[in-house]
Amino acid sequence: EIGGLVSLDYISLQGNCLYGTIPPELGNLTVLRFLGLAQNALSGFIPDSMFSLELLEYLDLPYQFGNDWICLRSDGGIVDVQYSQGDVLNGVNMGLRGMILGDKVAAMKNLRTLSISYNEFSGSISPQISNLVQLENLYARLNSFELSIPDEITELTNIVNLDLALNSFSGKIPEAVGNLEKLELFSLFGNGNLNGTLPISLYDLTNLTHLYIDGNNFSGNISDKIGQLKRLKHLTVYDNPLTGSLPSKLGFCEELEMLHIENTNLNGTVPDEVCMLTKIDLNSLNDEVEIFKADCAHDNETGVPFITCTCCDTCCDHITHNCFANYNYSDFATNTATRPSQNITTNETGSPIVNPTEDSRVSLFMRKFEDEVLQRDAKFNDLGSEDPRYLALDWILNNDQMNLGLDSMNLNQRYVLALIAFSLDSKAWGAIEEGSVIGNKEVDGKSTWLSSIDECSWYNVSCTGGLVTGIQLGETKTEFDSVSAPLIFLRSANFVLVR
């Protein structure tokens, strides 16, 4: 067994078909310094014995779910890494679990890198994390951590990258965050409930290159001291109730490449000092749009922009939150765009734009489907309002009476089936006709697709243990290129018959 290799100091098994739980015997490898298990299909709890690996410097455990490859056992059987223990009967694999950042982590005092993103770790960050004085990188994105970020995290003075995005943290950024003098990446986006004003010491992080705080509830002004962040490349503060105006001192950040300030209460005029940056770096990324976004479109109510910006490449309406790429003031004396639904708005090409009053709910769903379902690097903001991928998102958020949460085990599969429904024309969803009510009808004794019941009860959908194992549709008459790649997510399907 691996526990017998007591002299082993380096294990690198990234990107394999490892499934099941981490064996407690790993705790016997007392001289282990490097443990790399990323991009596998591990599940279950971290064994307590791992916390006794006091010499461990590098622990790499991210991306234990969402991988779509299938492997063969030595006996020829199939291992599907989408599911716990590699078997569909054990349910969808959501990754590793437990309170990995609890008090026990303090024993791993030699850690330099702790990478645990894209798992199901939970609990809070223990104040004992201050014992990890060697820690340089903490990547904990997309888990289920909650409560406040402890003040003791500011004692990690060697940390360079701190990513706590897409969790459920609340409370304020610790006032002494400026103690993290080596910090280059600080990512808190998508937590939703982080609040308060930005601590003044934040602007003392002069090595900072990437600051992402969008999708929270931060208030107050952006200080003139932001000009001290001269190495800053990316700054995203959108979807926060920030007030005041954009400081002219931001013009000192001459390396800035991306600036997103839309869906806030920042107003006034973008200073010339900031606009001059567009001649240097803001427009240097292969002429991409959405480099500099602000609420600079003429809004529907007043006919004037909430913030004046002559150098933004994308302007949003502060009232409707519609956004327009390559906005031209002369073309938009008034903004006549309309909102297609309650929670999602679109730009002039029909691309969906997040409404910040929904506490980033829309943004989180968009990111989840982009990361876990959509293929070919598709992004909702690049899609038209009639694209099936967007229509399925809109249905999930605004019309589906199941009201599934982000942690619902069948959310992704329900979205994929909705996507198929909006992509094809079949009697399976006879309710999808112009002027008719979607869902809650019957075909051949079964509910049509997009009914407000479990999708396993929809017409000609076969399931085992709540997971789709087959789809049979009839009389289709359109192709479905937009859905062909997301079908990969239905790994449990034995057949998809379209005729």
Side-chain angles (χ1 to χ4, degrees):
E1 293 184 353
I2 194 171
L5 304 176
V6 293
S7 297
L8 199 62
D9 67 355
Y10 191 102
I11 298 177
S12 179
L13 296 170
Q14 292 96 331
N16 286 284
C17 289
L18 301 179
Y19 62 94
T21 58
I22 295 178
E25 290 80 9
L26 276 178
N28 296 338
L29 310 184
T30 55
V31 297
L32 194 64
R33 296 181 181 274
F34 185 105
L35 178 58
L37 299 174
Q39 291 183 300
N40 282 289
L42 298 170
S43 57
F45 291 89
I46 295 290
D48 287 346
S49 60
M50 278 190 60
F51 294 106
S52 65
L53 300 176
E54 296 184 1
L55 298 183
L56 196 64
E57 298 179 6
Y58 190 100
L59 180 56
D60 190 36
L61 302 174
Y63 296 100
Q64 298 300 334
F65 67 88
N67 302 314
D68 60 7
W69 52 77
I70 294 180
C71 311
L72 295 179
R73 304 178 195 267
S74 57
D75 61 3
I78 292 178
V79 175
D80 193 331
V81 299
Q82 292 276 5
Y83 303 96
S84 298
Q85 308 297 321
D87 190 332
V88 63
L89 297 179
N90 291 315
V92 176
N93 176 30
M94 295 303 293
L96 293 165
R97 303 169 60 192
M99 300 176 63
I100 194 171
L101 296 181
D103 290 345
K104 294 176 182 178
V105 75
M108 307 174 82
K109 56 187 178 181
N110 282 299
L111 272 180
R112 295 183 179 274
T113 292
L114 177 56
S115 182
I116 55 176
S117 296
Y118 295 88
N119 278 291
E120 192 63 20
F121 292 117
S122 59
S124 59
I125 299 178
S126 168
Q128 298 297 318
I129 199 170
S130 60
N131 284 13
L132 307 184
V133 294
Q134 304 297 326
L135 195 64
E136 299 173 356
N137 306 293
L138 174 56
Y139 302 105
R141 176 182 299 193
L142 195 60
N143 281 282
S144 297
F145 294 114
E146 57 184 357
L147 303 180
S148 61
I149 301 172
D151 291 339
E152 287 79 5
I153 206 168
T154 64
E155 298 177 29
L156 304 178
T157 55
N158 283 308
I159 201 159
V160 176
N161 296 296
L162 179 57
D163 186 354
L164 304 177
L166 294 174
N167 282 284
S168 297
F169 289 112
S170 58
K172 300 180 179 180
I173 298 176
E175 290 292 332
V177 67
N179 291 344
L180 307 179
E181 296 179 355
K182 297 181 180 180
L183 197 62
E184 296 180 5
L185 166 70
F186 192 25
S187 182
L188 299 174
F189 74 81
N191 276 283
N193 291 317
L194 287 171
N195 56 55
T197 58
L198 303 179
I200 200 67
S201 71
L202 178 68
Y203 306 103
D204 294 331
L205 301 174
T206 55
N207 284 305
L208 205 61
T209 59
H210 295 77
L211 177 59
Y212 305 112
I213 60 171
D214 51 280
N216 285 292
N217 197 30
F218 293 118
S219 57
N221 301 333
I222 298 177
S223 170
D224 283 342
K225 292 186 66 178
I226 197 168
Q228 297 177 177
L229 308 182
K230 299 184 187 301
R231 297 187 59 199
L232 197 62
K233 295 180 181 292
H234 288 190
L235 174 61
T236 62
V237 302
Y238 63 92
D239 291 355
N240 282 290
L242 295 167
T243 55
S245 58
L246 198 63
S248 61
K249 295 295 180 64
L250 186 60
F252 287 118
C253 303
E254 295 185 351
E255 295 187 27
L256 201 61
E257 297 175 347
M258 179 178 290
L259 177 60
H260 288 188
I261 62 173
E262 76 276 13
N263 296 353
T264 67
N265 291 321
L266 294 170
N267 56 23
T269 300
V270 173
D272 291 341
E273 291 86 348
V274 176
C275 279
M276 290 179 65
L277 293 174
T278 65
K279 299 178 181 179
I280 304 173
D281 286 322
L282 282 179
N283 284 335
S284 68
L285 301 180
N286 300 318
D287 295 322
E288 294 181 12
V289 297
E290 297 192 357
I291 294 170
F292 188 3
K293 294 180 67 176
D295 288 339
C296 47
H298 296 79
D299 70 54
N300 279 342
E301 293 188 4
T302 66
V304 296
F306 190 76
I307 185 171
T308 301
C309 180
T310 59
C311 56
C312 295
D313 73 307
T314 301
C315 283
C316 304
D317 184 326
H318 184 68
I319 302 299
T320 67
H321 311 295
N322 299 324
C323 292
F324 304 87
N326 301 313
Y327 188 82
N328 188 327
Y329 277 72
S330 62
D331 292 339
F332 296 90
T334 59
N335 182 0
T336 59
T338 58
R339 294 181 61 184
S341 64
Q342 179 181 358
N343 298 325
I344 303 178
T345 57
T346 61
N347 61 22
E348 62 181 342
T349 63
S351 301
I353 303 299
V354 176
N355 182 346
T357 62
E358 297 300 317
D359 294 330
S360 301
R361 176 174 176 263
V362 177
S363 178
L364 292 176
F365 273 78
M366 289 169 65
R367 283 182 176 138
K368 177 179 176 63
F369 293 145
E370 288 171 352
D371 290 344
E372 301 176 17
V373 181
L374 300 186
Q375 303 289 317
R376 306 172 188 168
D377 297 321
K379 299 294 182 183
F380 284 107
N381 283 342
D382 298 329
L383 307 178
S385 60
E386 298 302 316
D387 189 289
R389 290 164 290 187
Y390 167 51
L391 293 173
L393 171 69
D394 184 69
W395 179 78
I396 288 285
L397 290 172
N398 300 311
N399 296 299
D400 184 9
Q401 296 179 26
M402 291 285 286
N403 292 319
L404 298 181
L406 282 171
D407 58 349
S408 298
M409 298 292 286
N410 62 323
L411 175 61
N412 284 358
Q413 113 175 340
R414 193 169 178 86
Y415 170 77
V416 171
L417 292 182
L419 172 53
I420 296 172
F422 283 108
S423 300
L424 301 177
D425 182 11
S426 167
K427 71 174 184 177
W429 37 84
I432 303 181
E433 299 171 356
E434 186 174 356
S436 67
V437 178
I438 292 178
N440 299 321
K441 295 186 177 181
E442 288 191 356
V443 174
D444 297 342
K446 293 200 70 174
S447 295
T448 55
W449 289 38
L450 304 184
S451 297
S452 55
I453 59 174
D454 187 277
E455 62 274 11
C456 288
S457 297
W458 289 355
Y459 177 80
N460 278 1
V461 174
S462 302
C463 291
T464 300
L467 296 172
V468 175
T469 56
I471 303 170
Q472 181 174 343
L473 308 176
E475 300 178 3
T476 59
K477 60 183 181 184
T478 56
E479 296 182 355
F480 52 108
D481 180 73
S482 64
V483 76
S484 57
L487 275 173
I488 294 174
F489 184 79
L490 299 179
R491 302 302 300 179
S492 56
N494 294 320
F495 64 89
V496 177
L497 177 59
V498 179
R499 61 172 185 245

